[in-house]
Amino acid sequence: VSQPEPDAVAVILVGDELLTGHTSDTNGPWLGRRLTDEGLRVVTIMTAPDDVHGVVRAIEHGLETARAVVVTGGLGPTPDDVTRAALAGLPGEWTRGDLANDVGLEPGVRLESGRGTVFAVPGVPGEMRAMVAGHVVAAIIASAGQLSPRSTRSLTVVGLGEPGVVELLAPVEEYLAGRGRLAYLPCPAEVEVRIAVTGADADDVATTAAVRARRLLGDLVAAEDKGIEETVVEMLRTQNATVATAESLTGGLVAAALVSVPGASEVMRSGVVAYASELKVALVGVAAEVLRRDGAIARTTAAAMAEGVRVRCGAGFGVATTGVAGPDPQEGHPPGTMHIAVASEGQTRVGSFEPSGKLRDRQTVRRQAVVRALDLLRRTVMDIGPGPGESAPARTR
Amino acid sequence: VSQPEPDAVAVILVGDELLTGHTSDTNGPWLGRRLTDEGLRVVTIMTAPDDVHGVVRAIEHGLETARAVVVTGGLGPTPDDVTRAALAGLPGEWTRGDLANDVGLEPGVRLESGRGTVFAVPGVPGEMRAMVAGHVVAAIIASAGQLSPRSTRSLTVVGLGEPGVVELLAPVEEYLAGRGRLAYLPCPAEVEVRIAVTGADADDVATTAAVRARRLLGDLVAAEDKGIEETVVEMLRTQNATVATAESLTGGLVAAALVSVPGASEVMRSGVVAYASELKVALVGVAAEVLRRDGAIARTTAAAMAEGVRVRCGAGFGVATTGVAGPDPQEGHPPGTMHIAVASEGQTRVGSFEPSGKLRDRQTVRRQAVVRALDLLRRTVMDIGPGPGESAPARTR
């Protein structure tokens, strides 16, 4: 077995609820991002059950792959908390110290031996974060010594599938060969491209790769090094512009995505979720005639919702979604059908999408609609030509 | 090393993006829940990097703890996909077969030897789910032989912290001793209590434990074996009642929570996100006088929003949230301050909450508000007495 590298960290999440799928973990991603940002390398994240033997086994495996092991959870006072017993049962001689808990009750534990260091921190996210930021990171870095510089970039692509993105970015793969790597993460309606580079000139190489990728992808790049939500809110703030939303298909998710960005209250005027047809008329001002003629799932209805909410709320831009989330068809349209509209002064743009052949669940359809709505808003705010699903823009009165 | 038990399954998630925290994994929780529902026991979930050696090491560790190992991701055609190379590099003799992919392009792989079985499935959630449900689960169960019956129950508690819940449930701990266990999962504004029992009479024991827990917790139990969202939507459907939301603090998250439940369109009339004060007046009908006198962060404003949206949208119940998400104070109120109102015919109930001493981020504050709003809606729909943060209900005109 080769010796673990000094910058390698193993993370262990303790909890039956994570193994039975009853809770989605947020500690793993937070630790991954935080430790990576510090120049460390998370080599494994393991979930262990609430039993002493399972936690011991996970720590043992962690020590084979990393010099530092961070264990979260199982430190509390209830009978299902087994981490303290597992630490006491680790084979070998360990020097033990406490880690102060500045925001909660249970202190953490630090164990040290020739094999490495084990940090046990609480599972409650706020307490875990405070303890890791305040005590653990510095200790890991101090014992890791000189770290090799690392640099990462990300580009979010909307309007092209993974195979197309891979093909377009072949020259960047070539440029990075031996110095770094590209990873492709397909998500509903978007592909995230990750550039990761290690070495003395990591930052320069990553920047050059990102610039080349952006040139090859053009206006398909919806965001760089942040989410589409942040990107769009920033664009609106820069232009001193405001937005209002009228959602049917997405039931408030577009508004929620915008509002999740700190400072969004400066740009977000208001949002309306209008399911019932008569509320599309009453709250958003869609003409009853349009609904009667074209139905709720229609280009014209989406456009009227976007225009209506923009005017009613006195916003610069109006965003609307309508469509079928499923599982059942609606007004004869299959799940996955959607119309996304963005109204601005004098112009309304609409993207229309049919379901594609693959499996589609409610959540996926709605997330696609959110991404497409934010992307069409981006294109409209920045005055970029037709995007996915969009025909040429129509002038409004 | 002891022999892995026949019902034990190890799950391995492959992807650098999961280790750097750039993507939140959903495959682990889905697999955990699905395999647990089938009577199997997920003993570890490990995340491995996009490198051959790391994936081999994770599979080797998996085979020490389980007879079946499910590997997701890294099967695709792009250069960062290393799972096929890792399978080829596993020490020992393996018999290899394909797993059909009914919804995507890349087939899965099945490897078998005296040490156990390894299933490699795609990382794209839709494809992974179809392949696991269609091919993998049956194969694992067939080789596991007779499974010991397992049964789980969950109760969601709102209005009492973890220590209080633990204290109240001491008799249930005692009842379960040796037969099963209780686990406590603190989340913003709620605690989930999980009951897990193994053995011939698992189902009876779990049911009895759940009944006793419910009796001890009384109306603090907001949901059983499902989320609060599902519970509330079901209650509304049963009563043929409808709801409309007016959100400031939560920016659409209460509406989104309701709408996430299939069939919610029958009960959800409409939702309004009203940030700007003049829109609280224009869209929801809050009296300008109330806003001028008490401000946006006030009991009276929350009540007026709930009443206004209920009447405007012709709904049976109106739900409203107002407060400070942070990070900065607003109108002199610190982050975490919130007022939650539910209006019904002739009565409006308001819960008011001060921030507690602990660290509070935006997401946590908003999730607390969503839980409290759904819980107050539940109490109002079911006509249950005052809940957390609530003073005696006031009659409205």
Side-chain angles (χ1 to χ4, degrees), chain A residues 132-178:
Chain A
V132 168
H135 306 286
V136 175
V137 164
I140 297 177
I141 289 178
S143 56
Q146 187 63 45
L147 299 174
S148 181
R150 297 168 57 78
S151 187
T152 61
R153 298 283 187 286
S154 89
L155 289 87
T156 303
V157 181
V158 178
L160 188 64
E162 188 187 7
V165 175
V166 171
E167 204 183 316
L168 272 183
L169 293 187
V172 182
E173 289 272 9
E174 226 166 90
Y175 166 73
L176 282 175

Side-chain angles (χ1 to χ4, degrees), chain B residues 54-76:
Chain B
V55 176
V56 168
R57 191 149 57 179
I59 295 175
E60 289 285 319
H61 180 68
L63 288 166
E64 286 166 21
T65 57
R67 295 280 304 164
V69 177
V70 179
V71 184
T72 77
L75 272 189

Side-chain angles (χ1 to χ4, degrees), chain B residues 121-139:
Chain B
V121 301
V124 175
E127 299 183 23
M128 182 280 287
R129 293 177 189 193
M131 197 177 286
V132 168
H135 306 286
V136 175
V137 164

Side-chain angles (χ1 to χ4, degrees), chain A residues 8-55:
Chain A
V9 182
V11 170
I12 296 170
L13 316 167
V14 179
D16 280 350
E17 73 281 8
L18 302 168
L19 292 171
T20 56
H22 283 91
T23 306
S24 271
D25 164 62
T26 59
N27 286 344
W30 186 89
L31 281 164
R33 189 178 281 260
R34 179 63 201 250
L35 297 170
T36 303
D37 285 349
E38 298 283 353
L40 296 163
R41 212 157 39 86
V42 175
V43 292
T44 186
I45 300 177
M46 276 177 286
T47 306
D50 288 323
D51 80 61
V52 175
H53 183 63
V55 175

